[in-house]
Amino acid sequence: MSTRPPVLRMTEVSGAEAVWLVEGSSVGRLVYVQREQAVVRPARHVWEFGSLIVRTPTPAAAVPSSATYQVDEVGAATGTGWTVTATGPADVITDRDEAAHYKRTLPGWVHGPHDTLVRIRPQTVTGFRFAQSAEG
């Protein structure tokens, strides 16, 4: 006798819950377009004062004026978890003291000379939860 695989459901979460999920995590992906190609870079983040501070191995000159940040926690075996996407204006943190603070407190990856701190001021934050459903 074979068992049917579980039915997976995707449910949208509120903006407040989406922010709460991002605040409780520390790893995500910076997503932007460069030369008509989507670029996705791993990143570490912290949510402070309504902004996402992101440390990523991206050339500072490549950071666009608007960027998307994506965070998720999805179980590979179960397919359950959540995903959140935040989009808004972005700028490179250039203040020496502020950059030094975030480089001390926010671990990240360095790729060659690229180790950039980006501030994203999200204008949209959307998220979904993934869960198993007993219904078929």
Side-chain angles (χ1 to χ4, degrees):
M1 181 171 129
S2 67
T3 60
R4 291 178 27 185
V7 174
L8 298 174
R9 300 277 185 230
M10 186 169 96
T11 307
E12 190 166 7
V13 300
S14 70
E17 184 176 358
V19 169
W20 179 79
L21 290 167
V22 172
E23 287 178 324
S25 65
S26 62
V27 178
R29 292 159 220 61
L30 181 68
V31 182
Y32 59 95
V33 176
Q34 183 179 32
R35 294 187 211 117
E36 299 180 20
Q37 297 276 339
V39 177
V40 180
R41 293 290 178 261
R44 296 272 188 172
H45 68 271
V46 63
W47 190 289
E48 287 188 342
F49 309 111
S51 294
L52 272 167
I53 307 300
V54 176
R55 186 174 182 180
T56 183
T58 301
V63 174
S65 60
S66 180
T68 297
Y69 193 70
Q70 195 273 330
V71 181
D72 60 41
E73 289 185 17
V74 179
T78 63
T80 61
W82 56 269
T83 185
V84 172
T85 303
T87 302
D91 56 57
V92 174
I93 295 174
T94 56
D95 178 81
R96 291 173 64 184
D97 293 333
E98 187 178 18
H101 164 73
Y102 287 119
K103 286 190 177 186
R104 277 191 313 272
T105 60
L106 194 58
W109 299 272
V110 177
H111 177 63
H114 308 306
D115 183 17
T116 303
L117 291 160
V118 179
R119 178 180 290 106
I120 301 173
R121 293 179 176 86
Q123 293 178 333
T124 60
V125 181
T126 58
F128 296 90
R129 285 196 180 271
F130 309 119
Q132 292 183 0
S133 173
E135 301 171 13

